[in-house]
Amino acid sequence: MRRYFGRKLLVYGLTFFVAVTVNWMIPRFMPGDPVSSMVARTGASNPAAAETMRVYYTNLFGFDQPLWKQYVNFWAALFQGDFGISIWVFPTPVSEVILGAVPYTLGLMIPSVLLSWVVGNWFGAYAARRKVLDNTLLPVGYVLTAMPYMWLAVLLAWGLGVVAGWFPVAGGYSFSMQPSWSWDFILDLLHHWVLPFSSLFLVALGGWAIGMRNMIIYELESDYSNYLAALGAPQRLIRRYAFRNAVLPQITGLALQLGVLVAGALVTEIVFSYPGLGSLILKAIQNQDFFLLQGAFLFIVLGVLIANFIIDIVYVVVDPRTRAGMAGAAA
Amino acid sequence: MSLQVDDLRVYYRTLKGDVKALDGVSFSMEDGEILGLAGESGCGKTTLGKSLIRMDGRMRHIGGTVELDGRELPIGDDRRMNDFRFREVSLIPQYSMSAMNPTRKIGRMVRELLRSRGATLDLDELESRLSLVELPHAVLDRYPIELSGGMKQRMVMVISTLLDPSLLIADEVTSALDVSTQKAVARALIGFRDAGFVKSMIFVTHDLALTSHIADTIMVMYAGKLAEKAPATAIVKKPRHPYTKLLLDSLPEVGVRYTDKRLAGIAGSPPSLLDPPAGCRFRDRCPIAGEECAQEPPMAEIEPNHFVACWKA
Amino acid sequence: MTALQEVPAQDAAAPAGVRREALYFALRNGKLLTGFGIVLALLLLGLLGPLFLSGTGSEYGTQPMQPPSAEHWFGTTTFGQDVFTQFVYGLRTTFVVGALGGGIAAVIAMLVGFVAGYRGGLVDEILNMFTNIVLVIPTLAVLLIINAYLGVRSVGAQALFIGLTSWPWAARAIRAQTFSLRTRDFVDLARLSGANTWKVITREIAPNMSSYLFMTFILLFGGSVLIASSLDFIGLGPTEGTSLGLMLQNANQWSAMQLGMWWWFIPPGAGITAIVGSLYVANVGLDEVFNPKLRET
């Protein structure tokens, strides 16, 4: 078990290292001079402001220093939580801007990912090898999982928001409100949360249901299922065992899908102008705010790594074989 | 008489038509008898074993009856057959290494299995049987992956016989084991019979040498039909069917098993069971085949309890 | 679900009989035929459509915000652009991104998977570590950074970067398959008769899992299409031409939803869903054809 976690942590450590390095390299090795293009693209009308920015960026990139020194400085700044200053909301530190958006993204993602996983697994397991259900669930599942996240988001916003008028289609809360811990505000928050949540939930649901259905069918063909059936065990018991075993690859699958789920959340937020990381990234791109963009990137990588580690721990709890100190989980 | 099989026909459905894997098989077994069932792969021996307990999805019961202790087994009816499984007919599968749910502790799995069949676990009985096959009681608190291959094999043997079935089908149980473990398993199976855990047993194998050590009677199958059935010593010492003779000749020496490949010693290959030829099915490979072999030879009792399906025997 | 289940390799020997049987089932598999039928129809529309259309869909017209009519099948945008023309050209881009991105990812996945699975040992350890690192990094986030710094973006560059980042799960699946094929007799035989690694992989291993590789490519294709559409939607799509994702982005940016211009945002999304969904369904069909256990009897 120690070896299992050791390997995982090594991979995550290396991943973080690679991510930071890529983040550092891209502005430096892409064609063109990032500083002047950045300053130019911000379109700062005030020449003094433009000059301030130029000096600031040149210092920050440290182009006058040798490359290795730039790299070391980059890491040093990172460990002090210094991601630079945002251009879009100059001069707020990037870390502050991002921390303001993270709760919205997490509030959207955690419930939708967990619920879609649980419900999808349940549906898939229930439908497998039950002809009528299977024949209806499968096409629906495939359509859902093939949908671009933003498209379902647009459809829901249009249908239930614009046409039916049941839900607001933009923002995390009403413009007229000030964030506070009042019931009114919380209800308003929830009201705005429903549509983006549903769209994330639905797209992910299809994939989990299909995955579970396939895994269950595979498990029902397995030797232990055949043995139980040969000893006359009822379908109920066989299915229960199959489910338990099929859930394990689904947990691994959750880790594999994290990147896709994050991407889905980002574009869904953009559709609903939901004030999370996705909208922030859109703003960063529109305003050529590269520090904000790179900061958001590192935050996402960090979040995915932490989520991966949590999933690893859950896996060890659920799969007895990893605890028994035997080979079991795929690396 | 414990088991009575009458003209059993079981076909596999395939695209090209029915594969006649069991084409009119009749035999009977006494109480307490261990029947060795031998033949090349594809001769129908596994199909026969499966038919008696659980047919897979592509198998169809075409005709014939199976009676166990005077009651007919509804072998074509998966649901009705459930009442008989485990209690009357049980199985030690070929895949014992992977027969247990990998994510349940063995003891818990056994308890859940028994409860699902409406039986309660007699822990003392279970532990005494574990001792009989030299398994420590602690295995019940382990996961299958923590057991060695031989231990898993013995564990499955204990589980399969817990409800004292009348008939036990042991399907190629020794093929995955090394020679010394094979002998131990064979001894354990005889012990189970002697202790009365099972009344009678069909020991399916391609290993004629091993069969002769454990079986009372040996039945040789060829291309979906019975070729010869006789007491073990008679089959080994005085085989009458030319196929049995060739099968014995092709053994390098007693105790060394040949693998499940086509027998090197017999030229040619078995006929297709999609559209088997009329007459004796061994005719094309038979060194002594003659005119009369174009007619199908009936099963004849040439000596007491020695049955052969061959005109020349 | 964008990953094939990691199921042990099926029996490899594939003589002519098995192939004929596969074809027999393929021609009778509804899922396969419907799936490929839809993809083929859309592909033909993308290929041949422009021959019958005037303009490329980016020209501003005189009739803005028109709902679908005989003249404008899918209506027009706020700027009077013909949505159907954009759709047809967008299909082209989508297929190019899918084929290129999926193709590049498949090649990398095969290289890494075959070598890691066949050579094993230290090579496997290193490649596995590398695969896991790329696997854990969220693809879209990396693409965001790269594309943001790229001033001028082309469809080719987009496909290239998607291909470079989306191969890991496929490499892992191929590695597992290779691993189980490696110990088979026919591979041993080839190795004993002096064939080198490259020969064994291309002559013995790859042909014996060709169906699996093809299915992997299909999933990578679908994945590339979805990732590209997300990039387009965030505003990091190709700077020239149009694509289904860019259409969605424009529709969203110009408030098509609030203005009730459903004809602007429904076709592009439906197009992507149809392509990707049909590919997935066709893949299930293929799986049933090649894997007898899954066939309905």
Side-chain angles (χ1 to χ4, degrees), chain A residues 26-328:
Chain A
I26 288 174
R28 284 168 179 79
F29 293 98
M30 279 295 190
D33 167 19
V35 174
S36 49
S37 68
M38 252 192 248
V39 176
R41 281 184 212 167
T42 52
S45 47
N46 180 347
E51 192 47 38
T52 320
M53 274 185 183
R54 170 178 298 276
V55 171
Y56 175 75
Y57 284 133
T58 315
N59 277 338
L60 206 96
F61 279 113
F63 282 129
D64 45 343
Q65 292 175 328
L67 267 182
W68 67 267
K69 193 105 195 261
Q70 294 180 29
Y71 186 60
V72 173
N73 288 344
F74 190 78
W75 272 101
L78 204 66
F79 277 119
Q80 289 159 13
D82 178 8
F83 291 87
I85 305 287
S86 164
I87 300 174
W88 172 51
V89 276
F90 194 80
T92 320
V94 163
S95 47
E96 207 171 289
V97 180
I98 290 174
L99 284 178
V102 164
Y104 287 96
T105 301
L106 289 183
L108 211 50
M109 273 198 79
I110 293 176
S112 63
V113 168
L114 291 183
L115 264 177
S116 66
W117 190 83
V118 171
V119 177
N121 279 338
W122 189 82
F123 265 137
Y126 197 74
R129 286 282 146 93
R130 290 194 167 101
K131 211 143 190 157
V132 180
L133 256 178
D134 202 21
N135 285 343
T136 46
L137 177 109
L138 208 57
V140 173
Y142 274 107
V143 169
L144 283 178
T145 194
M147 274 190 187
Y149 276 90
M150 59 273 182
W151 190 54
L152 184 65
V154 169
L155 290 185
L156 286 181
W158 177 63
L160 301 181
V162 176
V163 176
W166 295 343
F167 296 101
V169 294
Y173 50 87
S174 302
F175 292 118
S176 56
M177 286 222 173
Q178 279 298 316
S180 65
W181 285 113
S182 67
W183 280 113
D184 279 353
F185 181 74
I186 291 171
L187 276 178
D188 188 56
L189 210 60
L190 276 176
H191 200 204
H192 281 76
W193 173 84
V194 172
L195 281 185
F197 162 80
S198 316
S199 104
L200 276 175
F201 171 79
L202 283 175
V203 177
L205 183 72
W208 297 128
I210 290 167
M212 189 55 166
R213 171 208 174 255
N214 293 344
M215 281 318 302
I216 285 270
I217 288 180
Y218 178 69
E219 292 293 335
L220 289 178
E221 296 279 346
S222 70
D223 287 341
Y224 68 84
S225 297
N226 279 326
Y227 181 55
L228 287 174
L231 296 188
Q235 275 297 308
R236 207 163 9 93
L237 183 73
I238 299 175
R239 274 183 173 266
R240 207 169 80 211
Y241 281 10
F243 181 82
R244 169 78 183 209
N245 286 302
V247 154
L248 298 176
Q250 289 288 87
I251 295 177
T252 319
L254 185 59
L256 291 180
Q257 289 287 305
L258 277 176
V260 176
L261 293 167
V262 170
L266 297 185
V267 294
T268 304
E269 284 179 10
I270 291 175
V271 170
F272 290 99
S273 311
Y274 204 73
L277 280 177
S279 301
L280 208 59
I281 287 172
L282 183 69
K283 286 287 184 311
I285 291 169
Q286 284 169 348
N287 295 292
Q288 302 285 332
D289 189 343
F290 289 92
F291 286 98
L292 186 53
L293 192 58
Q294 290 185 273
F297 167 73
L298 281 185
F299 258 82
I300 290 173
V301 171
L302 211 58
V304 168
L305 289 181
I306 292 171
N308 260 296
F309 192 64
I310 294 174
I311 292 173
D312 288 338
I313 294 172
V314 171
Y315 196 96
V316 169
V317 173
V318 180
D319 187 349
R321 285 167 296 183
T322 48
R323 259 175 298 147
M326 304 281 173

Side-chain angles (χ1 to χ4, degrees), chain C residues 52-126:
Chain C
F52 304 97
L53 292 167
S54 56
T56 60
S58 52
E59 301 86 359
Y60 290 3
T62 49
Q63 297 170 296
M65 301 173 77
Q66 294 297 309
S69 62
E71 196 182 344
H72 299 288
W73 289 358
F74 287 180
T76 61
T77 70
T78 315
F79 311 103
Q81 297 152 312
D82 183 52
V83 177
F84 182 70
T85 312
Q86 285 192 343
F87 180 74
V88 170
Y89 276 93
L91 278 178
R92 276 190 171 193
T93 316
T94 298
F95 275 107
V96 169
V97 168
L100 251 156
I104 293 169
V107 169
I108 301 175
M110 281 194 279
L111 277 178
V112 173
F114 282 144
V115 173
Y118 180 71
R119 296 295 289 270
L122 189 64
V123 178
D124 181 35
E125 286 279 326
I126 293 170

Side-chain angles (χ1 to χ4, degrees), chain B residues 62-78:
Chain B
I62 302 296
T65 56
V66 177
E67 251 178 48
L68 183 66
D69 300 324
R71 281 198 293 167
E72 186 176 340
L73 291 182
I75 62 165
D77 185 336
D78 191 56

Side-chain angles (χ1 to χ4, degrees), chain A residues 252 256 330-331, chain C residues 6 128 131-132 135 167-176:
Chain A
T252 319
L256 291 180
Chain C
E6 288 181 18
N128 212 0
T131 310
N132 281 331
L135 188 70
W167 53 268
W169 71 262
R172 264 176 59 163
I174 293 173
R175 172 185 170 272

